[in-house]
Amino acid sequence: MKIKIELFGDARNFSDQDYLEITLPELSSIKEVRENLMDLVKNKYPDNKNYLEIVKCSAFANEHNEIVQEHYHLSTHTKLSIIPPVGGG
Amino acid sequence: MFYGKVIESSKGSLSLDKAQQFIASEKCGASLFFIGTVRNHNNNKNVTGITYDSHDAMVEKSFKEIFEEASKKLTIEHPAVYIEHAKGYIPLGGLSIIIAVAAKHRSQAYDLSRYIIEEIKKKTPIWKKEHYDDNQSKWLKGTPLIDPSS
């Protein structure tokens, strides 16, 4: 299944667009999303350890604007946002 | 009474007048305005501006949750809160956030204002990209919303 991930903050550097689309097996969870993104970053930016750290430290939110945990299961309709460490004000 | 909004800098600007009008109440003896602005230095670098990014829907939800938490945890009589945060590029000296609060007494207004800004810093999905006088820019490190070790 294809999962769309909206990008924010430093994670915007992961794509020229505002989002990423990744393909995962059915019944995948946030754990697999994180692993997939870590592989993507390692391949695309092998010298940038900061990007890898961002993926490790980021939360993910679903289409209802709720932070979801590592075991949260995804469906074909799931739209995620990656939420890197925050710091407004 | 609560109002919280993200303001895209290309479409509008933060409004102290609106904030003042919103929190005005004859029941409140104290009004307080916290204003965040873009300063000219950080980490020994000369800052020329900041680009703010935000997950707008989550930010506005977070503002409301912080107000509700504050209302439960603190003893505030007749609280009124108005929060606006900028999104997009804000030049040096520009306003990044307004937190206007009103309460019955001054100690309540101070507590409420401080609580809100500290919680926004820790919880609200907003990010800052600093721009420097050498034409470089950098996203600032923030606070994770998860424990990466778990």
Side-chain angles (χ1 to χ4, degrees):
Chain A
M1 60 181 173
K2 280 194 172 176
I3 299 291
K4 189 173 179 178
I5 306 168
E6 203 173 352
L7 303 172
F8 292 95
D10 216 346
R12 286 191 183 276
N13 292 317
F14 298 168
S15 171
D16 294 334
Q17 296 175 296
D18 292 338
Y19 62 90
L20 274 173
E21 270 189 347
I22 60 174
T23 304
L24 292 171
E26 297 294 323
L27 301 176
S28 291
S29 67
I30 294 296
K31 181 172 177 283
E32 282 77 39
V33 172
R34 194 182 304 280
E35 288 168 356
N36 189 294
L37 287 182
M38 286 172 72
D39 288 341
L40 182 149
V41 166
K42 279 180 197 167
N43 290 330
K44 204 169 174 183
Y45 311 102
D47 299 324
N48 195 322
K49 303 294 179 207
N50 183 43
Y51 287 175
L52 202 56
E53 199 56 32
I54 288 164
V55 178
K56 283 182 188 172
C57 293
S58 288
F60 290 87
N62 64 13
E63 62 273 27
H64 305 298
N65 302 317
E66 295 161 338
I67 300 292
V68 289
Q69 302 301 316
E70 214 65 8
H71 57 266
Y72 180 81
H73 283 283
L74 311 171
S75 73
T76 48
H77 304 296
T78 306
K79 286 181 187 168
L80 293 175
S81 300
I82 185 168
I83 309 293
V86 304
Chain B
M1 285 214 313
F2 171 80
Y3 174 90
K5 197 84 180 165
V6 174
I7 305 290
E8 173 70 52
S9 61
S10 61
K11 295 177 184 166
S13 54
L14 310 195
S15 171
L16 276 169
D17 286 342
K18 282 185 190 169
Q20 190 164 19
Q21 283 170 27
F22 184 84
I23 65 167
S25 166
E26 291 179 348
K27 291 179 181 173
C28 295
S31 299
L32 207 56
F33 295 82
F34 173 84
I35 300 166
T37 54
V38 176
R39 68 171 184 271
N40 68 358
H41 64 281
N42 192 29
N43 294 327
N44 296 319
K45 300 198 83 170
N46 295 322
V47 176
T48 57
I50 295 179
T51 297
Y52 291 88
D53 190 16
S54 81
H55 187 305
D56 298 1
M58 288 185 74
V59 167
E60 288 168 14
K61 184 180 169 195
S62 171
F63 286 166
K64 190 156 197 299
E65 286 170 354
I66 290 168
F67 169 70
E68 288 168 353
E69 282 168 16
S71 301
K72 285 179 189 165
K73 287 184 180 176
L74 308 174
T75 306
I76 312 289
E77 294 164 275
H78 312 304
V81 171
Y82 182 102
I83 309 172
E84 282 185 335
H85 200 296
K87 180 178 186 175
Y89 180 76
I90 304 295
L92 199 60
L95 271 57
S96 59
I97 186 169
I98 292 174
I99 301 171
V101 307
K104 186 175 180 183
H105 299 297
R106 68 183 183 283
S107 62
Q108 297 174 359
Y110 277 116
D111 288 348
L112 183 56
S113 176
R114 184 66 189 259
Y115 183 91
I116 290 169
I117 185 62
E118 297 303 335
E119 291 300 303
I120 287 173
K121 291 270 182 191
K122 285 188 286 189
K123 290 181 180 171
T124 304
I126 299 170
W127 301 271
K128 290 181 191 180
K129 187 183 199 178
E130 280 185 344
H131 303 277
Y132 306 111
D133 61 355
D134 58 3
N135 290 323
Q136 299 293 304
S137 59
K138 183 185 173 187
W139 289 100
L140 298 185
K141 288 188 186 302
T143 305
L145 296 187
I146 57 160
D147 178 0
S149 62
S150 64

